[in-house]
Amino acid sequence: MLKIRHLLGLRGVCKEDIEKILDTADKFYDILNGENPVTDSLKGKTVVNLFYENSTRTRISFELAEKRLSANPLNFSVSGSSVSKGESLKDTVENIEAMKIDMVVIRHSASGVPGFLTEFSNAVVINAGDGFNEHPTQALLDIMTIRQKLGRLKGVNVAIIGDILHSRVARSNVWGMKTLGMNVTLCGPSTLLPQQPELLEVKTTTNLREAIADADVVMLLRLQLERQDVGLFPSVREYRQLYGLDNEKLSLMKKDAIVMHPGPVNRSVEIASEVADCARSVILNQVTNGVATRMAVLSLLGRKSDEV
Ligand code: CP
């Protein structure tokens, strides 16, 4: 059993809970690769996937995870709903809950919305990404992938490169990795680094070569091109030269270091195509592990037992 009732973020989640989720995800990974990839873990449970923001990987893998657990998934997207008639989030959730649901998976552009839901909903709430705050299942699948590839977590050096300031993925990874004894370095242009890095208690640098030299894991983040007009970096060309991972910079990394990216990827911006597709890239392994990780989170929070 987990100590948490909802998964709102990895900040404050204890090591035992994170390890329980990772171990359960490993079991589901084996089940998914076996002859019968479906379990009865959430039979009879209804899970509503409330996506107020676009998603490919997270939305599809949650739905697939729910189906693999024999739950009943209901998909809600803003377009085509009564949100377009002005219905509030609270009214939307209360009306859906009146139809008797057990769990809500929510993605929203505003930080804190999953926590807000827990104030008036009886359902278990899972954060699928809220604003710039957290994306906990992404970090869990990232950490699962690192353990799978490197065979260890404690003491592993991770360099997270790019738009840290706006990245909920970076924030969840920092909280989770620190709890597990991993060493995180955040790297990017000073305008895209957190303004109070001491609050995260991790190293920061604007020098990519310094960040990747000792890294066992180099995680690139999507450059949020939609923010370019705010003037946070001079040009995409300059960003690519300084922070884009290409073959030349890859050659400076440790020989067994792996390359990660949560997606969606801007090819030829933060990562060159030949690096995204190279043998050291585990980007598609991350996507595969997303299903097992989300099965673990859903089943551990949706049931009263640890059995898969
Ligand atoms: N990594 C991630 O959250 O991707 P999506 O936005 O496609 O879900």
Side-chain angles (χ1 to χ4, degrees), residues 36-48:
N36 178 15
V38 180
T39 77
D40 282 343
S41 302
L42 288 186
K43 200 173 177 65
K45 302 275 184 187
T46 301
V47 187
V48 179

Side-chain angles (χ1 to χ4, degrees), residues 274-285:
E274 64 265 25
V275 176
D277 301 331
C278 77
R280 293 164 70 179
S281 162
V282 299
I283 295 172
L284 291 179
N285 301 92

Side-chain angles (χ1 to χ4, degrees), residues 35-96:
E35 280 185 6
N36 178 15
V38 180
T39 77
D40 282 343
S41 302
L42 288 186
K43 200 173 177 65
K45 302 275 184 187
T46 301
V47 187
V48 179
N49 301 308
L50 277 175
F51 277 72
Y52 281 78
E53 262 192 345
N54 295 340
S55 169
T56 298
R57 281 147 289 270
T58 312
R59 187 175 56 77
I60 291 175
S61 62
F62 262 114
E63 187 179 345
L64 191 54
E66 290 149 14
K67 288 181 172 162
R68 298 288 194 224
L69 294 168
S70 303
N72 305 312
L74 293 177
N75 295 316
F76 171 96
S77 49
V78 172
S79 64
S81 77
S82 289
V83 171
S84 58
K85 299 175 200 162
E87 190 166 30
S88 71
L89 172 74
K90 187 167 187 285
D91 281 340
T92 302
V93 172
E94 283 180 339
N95 276 268
I96 292 173

Side-chain angles (χ1 to χ4, degrees), residues 50-54 76 78 83 87-90 93 105-114 116-117 126-134 168:
L50 277 175
F51 277 72
Y52 281 78
E53 262 192 345
N54 295 340
F76 171 96
V78 172
V83 171
E87 190 166 30
S88 71
L89 172 74
K90 187 167 187 285
V93 172
V105 175
I106 181 158
R107 170 170 287 195
H108 202 283
S109 58
S111 300
V113 162
F116 172 61
L117 248 60
I126 299 173
N127 180 1
D130 63 327
F132 301 150
N133 182 37
E134 287 226 33
R168 54 197 179 201

